[in-house]
Amino acid sequence: MRKIVAGKLHGIYVTEANLDYHGSITLDPDHCEEAGILPMEFVEIWNKNSGARISTYVMLGERGSRCCILNGAVARTCQPGDQAIICNSVYVHERELTALKPRVLTFDKGNRIVDRLTYSVEPNAEGGYSFSILNEANNVLPVPALVGRP
């Protein structure tokens, strides 16, 4: 079994940090549903501002609120206005890798969804894998490591 990205909220802005609450991260159910993140699911949180990384579980906040609230100890790792990446994962057999199509949402400063992307892994001619990022129209987007190369 391999641990693989299942969904991601990329660049969502932290709206609150509540040190005295009893823990976790509170997210808008609309965002969670689109990215395939479940309530009570453990997620990784990566702070783009500080580089801090932490794991906690998801609680659902008010639908349509666009909230991203860090609670309890995790509140020490992110402050309001910080950009975060929130990622869930699944364990799959390698033979299932190409069936997995992780959903990735990107955000503006108001936590409105800017892009809806999909990660895709396909077998290649050499017996390995190719990786693509697809937009909503299923157009292939450049992968950063490949930009500018022939």
Side-chain angles (χ1 to χ4, degrees), residues 82-101:
D82 286 355
Q83 266 192 301
I85 300 166
I86 301 164
C87 182
N88 67 343
S89 57
V90 293
Y91 286 93
V92 298
H93 288 284
E94 186 175 346
R95 66 182 173 271
E96 301 168 303
L97 178 61
T98 57
L100 189 64
K101 304 296 180 205

Side-chain angles (χ1 to χ4, degrees), residues 11-150:
I12 193 167
Y13 286 82
V14 175
T15 56
E16 292 180 49
N18 296 324
L19 182 61
D20 295 323
Y21 194 69
H22 51 78
S24 75
I25 184 168
T26 306
L27 296 169
D28 185 325
D30 291 336
H31 294 158
C32 290
E33 289 166 7
E34 278 207 54
I37 297 172
L38 300 172
M40 300 302 295
E41 181 173 17
F42 271 85
V43 293
E44 301 293 323
I45 302 168
W46 307 315
N47 184 322
K48 287 180 69 173
N49 295 62
S50 70
R53 293 172 169 252
I54 195 158
S55 174
T56 193
Y57 62 94
V58 172
M59 294 189 322
L60 298 180
E62 182 180 337
R63 187 172 296 279
S65 66
R66 300 190 309 269
C67 68
C68 177
I69 305 168
L70 287 294
N71 302 301
V74 75
R76 293 222 185 260
T77 66
C78 297
Q79 294 302 305
D82 286 355
Q83 266 192 301
I85 300 166
I86 301 164
C87 182
N88 67 343
S89 57
V90 293
Y91 286 93
V92 298
H93 288 284
E94 186 175 346
R95 66 182 173 271
E96 301 168 303
L97 178 61
T98 57
L100 189 64
K101 304 296 180 205
R103 292 168 283 173
V104 178
L105 307 179
T106 67
F107 298 87
D108 67 10
K109 286 194 176 259
N111 283 345
R112 287 175 290 275
I113 298 169
V114 174
D115 292 304
R116 291 169 172 86
L117 308 172
T118 303
Y119 289 168
S120 181
V121 174
E122 302 297 332
N124 65 22
E126 293 83 34
Y129 297 105
S130 64
F131 174 80
S132 319
I133 302 170
L134 307 170
N135 65 14
E136 287 183 88
N138 265 347
N139 296 321
V140 176
L141 302 176
V143 175
L146 301 177
V147 174
R149 292 186 183 174

